[in-house]
Amino acid sequence: SDADSEGTLDAGSLRTPIVAVLGHVDHGKTTLLDRIRGSAVQEGEAGAITQHIGATAVPLSTISEMAGALVDPTDFDLPGLLFIDTPGHHSFSTLRSRGGALADIAVLVVDVNDGFQPQTEEAINILKRTGTPFVVAANKVDTTPGWNPQEGQPIQQSLEQQSERATSRLNENLYELIGDLSDEGFSADFYWRVQDFQSNIGVVPLSAMTGEGIPDLLTVLMGLSQRYMKEEMSVDVTGPGVGTVLEVKDEQGFGATLDVVLYDGVVREGDTVVVGGRDEPIVTEVRALLQPRPNAEIRAEKQFERVEEVRAAAGVKIAAPDLDDAMSGAPIRVVRGDDEAALETVTQEVREELAKIEVD
Ligand code: GDP
């Protein structure tokens, strides 16, 4: 289940679950994503994480190293987790796949001191509407008065190192949060007490700043995907690629390019693709597939490296002619082979999906 040379996670026929991070402004979404990237990198070995276009892949091997005793890697056969790098419910609700939300699961970040805020409510409503399973990251536990930080530790280990006073102040906040979730119709509890994550929301106390509780969050996300989403993750990873456009960007030497999250199948150089455009679906041919160059080699003039193919789930930049009118949030589909009928069908499907997006 290691990252292969193309920077995608490959575990046979199970794809990587796609994770989005939501929550009120300043509650710590960006810090959490940075921390997940950073602490995974600190774990040392090359390939600890893979930077994609618009996303970060954390392989199972890295999660189990970070989580230590929390994870038995043989419990899991999903290859890891793919975090969408753009946090916030705006990006979450505009990024969709055929079935609904582009993300398979979500992390709702709530500042333990601040509790539920307007954008927390909005995020909850979107998660309800899309039926997206989620866990709550009760963030900033380190701001509890008297906190004794335990860099990168599982949260229960950290709690053992806290004074009674600090623990009870934190618990007050956490119970308030559990109450707020209950007002929203969710039965929630500390994640280690949750037996059935389908009917209960797990609350993970953590600090994006000190990293304590991050191993727990990754473990809970793996468990949630493994138990309840394995069927959805069983996709034909060699079928024609299907994805969602995150952004349309001009790149020197390539013109308009698409930053895409591929959630199904494979896309190869030379593939015919149909992508949602301002007026009509655009039919074009993939000229280049680009991934970020690994950090060590970043040079201003060569940010990207070309790859021949990319498998779901992954973020990738697609260079192709005629992309100026492509739209962010639009679907993109590969049509394989020289099949006029298939091209016509896919074009019609993309047209219908676009019409739906514009109505919402
Ligand atoms: P976002 O708007 O949700 O992306 O929030 P940010 O990640 O930008 O965080 C907002 C502020 O809270 C920043 O000043 C962060 O440094 C701080 N912050 C985020 N997480 C933590 C945490 O776990 N502990 C502490 N002490 N500060 C945090």
Side-chain angles (χ1 to χ4, degrees):
S1 65
D2 277 340
D4 64 22
S5 58
E6 282 127 23
T8 55
L9 298 168
D10 186 358
S13 60
L14 290 174
R15 79 156 168 82
T16 319
I18 300 170
V19 187
V21 175
L22 288 79
H24 192 73
V25 64
D26 282 345
H27 280 198
K29 300 177 292 295
T30 310
T31 311
L32 179 65
L33 282 163
D34 285 350
R35 182 75 201 195
I36 288 168
R37 282 190 288 258
S39 39
V41 167
Q42 273 172 13
E43 279 306 310
E45 15 122 40
I49 60 155
T50 314
Q51 205 54 52
H52 288 219
I53 297 293
T56 303
V58 187
L60 174 60
S61 57
T62 302
I63 294 172
S64 46
E65 259 167 65
M66 287 172 67
L70 294 178
V71 164
D72 177 355
T74 60
D75 284 349
F76 298 112
D77 45 19
L78 291 171
L81 298 166
L82 185 77
F83 287 87
I84 299 176
D85 284 343
T86 324
H89 60 258
H90 181 69
S91 68
F92 179 87
S93 55
T94 53
L95 296 177
R96 309 207 304 188
S97 68
R98 264 172 309 186
L102 172 62
D104 302 298
I105 47 182
V107 177
L108 178 64
V109 179
V110 185
D111 180 330
V112 275
N113 306 297
D114 239 14
F116 265 43
Q117 294 297 323
Q119 289 163 23
T120 319
E121 309 271 359
E122 283 173 32
I124 290 249
N125 288 335
I126 294 168
L127 293 170
K128 277 183 184 165
R129 200 173 67 227
T130 54
T132 308
F134 67 99
V135 299
V136 171
N139 190 30
K140 308 198 188 184
V141 297
D142 62 293
T143 60
T144 307
W147 192 258
N148 176 17
Q150 307 292 315
E151 191 76 17
Q153 290 302 307
I155 194 63
Q156 280 173 296
Q157 248 154 275
S158 166
L159 289 173
E160 282 165 20
Q161 304 304 315
Q162 308 306 326
S163 66
E164 223 163 276
R165 191 136 179 260
T167 308
S168 76
R169 300 215 31 184
L170 175 62
N171 279 342
E172 258 171 55
N173 285 337
L174 290 170
Y175 279 116
E176 197 164 317
L177 186 53
I178 287 169
D180 286 341
L181 284 160
S182 153
D183 292 344
E184 289 292 333
F186 293 104
S187 124
D189 208 340
F190 296 97
Y191 87 85
W192 54 83
R193 292 195 198 149
V194 172
Q195 300 286 336
D196 176 1
F197 282 92
Q198 234 165 0
S199 49
N200 293 286
I201 303 294
V203 174
V204 184
L206 58 80
S207 166
M209 194 77 104
T210 67
E212 48 212 311
I214 303 269
D216 311 64
L217 178 67
L218 297 174
T219 307
V220 172
L221 290 171
M222 281 305 290
L224 193 65
S225 334
Q226 180 78 23
R227 233 164 294 162
Y228 301 114
M229 316 203 36
K230 201 166 152 191
E231 243 159 66
E232 289 157 57
M233 298 301 113
S234 305
V235 298
D236 180 3
V237 288
T238 59
V242 187
T244 299
V245 177
L246 297 177
E247 261 190 278
V248 185
K249 273 191 199 160
D250 277 320
E251 298 290 351
Q252 216 177 358
F254 293 104
T257 65
L258 306 178
D259 289 0
V260 167
V261 169
L262 191 73
Y263 60 84
D264 197 351
V266 54
V267 56
R268 301 194 181 97
E269 242 181 59
D271 272 344
T272 298
V273 290
V274 180
V275 55
R278 245 186 288 281
D279 304 315
E280 264 294 285
I282 299 161
V283 180
T284 184
E285 193 170 293
V286 175
R287 192 162 282 168
L289 296 169
L290 304 164
Q291 293 279 24
R293 211 162 257 282
N295 283 345
E297 300 167 46
I298 283 185
R299 269 165 273 142
E301 75 276 18
K302 272 209 156 181
Q303 266 179 285
F304 306 112
E305 63 185 9
R306 283 176 81 146
V307 293
E308 274 170 26
E309 68 165 46
V310 172
R311 285 181 184 206
V316 62
K317 184 182 281 294
I318 296 180
D322 306 322
L323 292 177
D324 294 287
D325 286 338
M327 295 200 311
S328 63
I332 179 164
R333 304 263 307 262
V334 169
V335 184
R336 193 131 314 130
D338 233 348
D339 185 344
E340 273 301 320
L343 180 60
E344 196 38 58
T345 309
V346 171
T347 305
Q348 185 54 29
E349 283 167 5
V350 168
R351 194 177 285 128
E352 283 162 16
E353 279 174 56
L354 271 180
K356 250 191 266 165
I357 290 172
E358 275 155 16
V359 170
D360 286 0

